[in-house]
Amino acid sequence: MKKNVPDFLKAKGFYISLLTGICALCIICVVYVSMLTSNDKDNVVDLNDSNKQTEDMANNQNTEVADSTTDENIAGIDADVPSDLTGDAEIQDADEVKETTSNAVAANEQAEENQNSQAVATSGKGTNLTFDEEKGLLWPVDGNVIMNYSMSSVIYFQTLDQYKCNPAIIIQAEVGEDVLNAAKGVVSDISYNEETGNTVTVSVGDGYKVIYGQLDENLNVKEGQTIEEKTVIGKIAEPTKYYIKEGTNLFFQVLSGEETVNPMLLLR
């Protein structure tokens, strides 16, 4: 019995040592695993955090560039603007622009009005003018017809010493004699012609126009003016070189549209 006690103790000590070693080994393993796990966590990179950091850095750089560009633009604008520019100068410029615009509008309106007046005068329309063919035309001067209207055959022109057609009638008149308007109308043209001298055209309505030639330069009418029958248009002048031998006269022509009409058919 006594002999078995030491063996038993020896055996028990062995197991205690073995158990203690195993526990120590387990503890060492646990510590080692813990250390490995801690190192792995430290070495893991969060991709989301990395992307976010990259995006934040890019945004910060863009913001810095934009701020820099804005500052440069502001500096450029400030450099271009005169240092003495004030609010009063800006107001003055605005007033000048407004005045210029108003003047341009007024000029355009005046030009349009003149154009419309010229169109009315030229056509004889828009002024409620109606030519009464039955009533006819007033004799513009008191004189004899020294050359008749002739478009279907030629007649002799003494000064020119040639035969040709005559689109008007040539009425004898005295220098300085008044020339009367033959019918109410609008003065549509005043011009100088080498053959007929100072010439006035009056639109009397319905496409009819009456033309007065060989007039003095001091006329009593102007373009666009509405004149009544018997209004003095002007005075007889010295004849042009085309009518020296025919003597002083009034060149009197009538148009219907663009066609000439024999004035003798319309004169009263």
Side-chain angles (χ1 to χ4, degrees):
M1 185 71 177
K2 290 181 182 180
K3 290 181 179 180
N4 293 333
V5 170
D7 295 334
F8 171 74
L9 291 173
K10 290 180 180 180
K12 187 176 182 180
F14 171 77
Y15 288 115
I16 291 172
S17 299
L18 180 61
L19 180 62
T20 302
I22 292 172
C23 291
L25 181 62
C26 290
I27 292 172
I28 292 171
C29 289
V30 170
V31 172
Y32 180 75
V33 171
S34 298
M35 292 177 64
L36 290 177
T37 303
S38 177
N39 291 333
D40 290 339
K41 287 183 180 181
D42 293 338
N43 293 329
V44 172
V45 178
D46 191 345
L47 296 178
N48 292 331
D49 291 342
S50 177
N51 292 336
K52 184 175 181 182
Q53 291 176 358
T54 303
E55 182 178 357
D56 291 341
M57 292 175 64
N59 290 336
N60 291 334
Q61 291 178 353
N62 292 336
T63 302
E64 292 176 358
V65 171
D67 292 341
S68 176
T69 303
T70 302
D71 293 340
E72 291 177 357
N73 291 337
I74 293 175
I77 294 174
D78 292 340
D80 293 337
V81 176
S83 59
D84 58 347
L85 181 62
T86 63
D88 293 337
E90 293 177 353
I91 294 175
Q92 182 178 2
D93 290 342
D95 291 339
E96 290 178 355
V97 171
K98 184 176 180 181
E99 182 179 358
T100 302
T101 304
S102 299
N103 292 337
V105 171
N108 289 335
E109 291 177 350
Q110 184 63 39
E112 183 177 357
E113 182 179 352
N114 292 339
Q115 184 176 3
N116 292 335
S117 299
Q118 183 63 28
V120 169
T122 302
S123 63
K125 298 178 180 179
T127 55
N128 298 323
L129 289 175
T130 301
F131 178 63
D132 187 348
E133 294 184 19
E134 293 185 0
K135 181 181 178 182
L137 299 171
L138 175 74
W139 279 84
V141 291
D142 186 13
N144 297 323
V145 177
I146 57 178
M147 295 184 68
N148 289 316
Y149 171 89
S150 180
M151 291 300 291
S152 59
S153 60
V154 295
I155 61 175
Y156 182 67
F157 282 73
Q158 186 177 359
T159 302
L160 300 176
D161 191 22
Q162 62 179 262
Y163 289 87
K164 67 175 186 174
C165 293
N166 186 21
I169 61 173
I170 309 302
I171 307 174
Q172 187 179 29
E174 298 294 332
V175 174
E177 183 177 349
D178 288 339
V179 177
L180 305 180
N181 183 38
K184 181 179 178 179
V186 177
V187 179
S188 57
D189 182 70
I190 297 177
S191 60
Y192 181 84
N193 183 285
E194 187 180 32
E195 181 177 352
T196 60
N198 293 302
T199 305
V200 174
T201 301
V202 179
S203 298
V204 296
D206 297 327
Y208 280 92
K209 297 178 183 178
V210 181
I211 302 174
Y212 308 84
Q214 305 284 2
L215 301 176
D216 187 270
E217 61 182 3
N218 297 316
L219 300 172
N220 296 336
V221 297
K222 59 183 180 180
E223 288 188 18
Q225 178 182 353
T226 300
I227 54 177
E228 300 292 332
E229 183 180 300
K230 294 185 179 181
T231 298
V232 177
I233 295 175
K235 297 182 182 295
I236 296 294
E238 293 287 347
T240 63
K241 62 182 180 180
Y242 289 81
Y243 294 94
I244 297 297
K245 292 184 179 180
E246 285 79 5
T248 54
N249 67 86
L250 173 68
F251 176 91
F252 188 72
Q253 182 180 14
V254 177
L255 296 178
S256 178
E258 298 299 324
E259 300 294 329
T260 59
V261 177
N262 188 351
M264 296 299 292
L265 300 177
L266 298 172
L267 285 167
R268 300 169 196 167

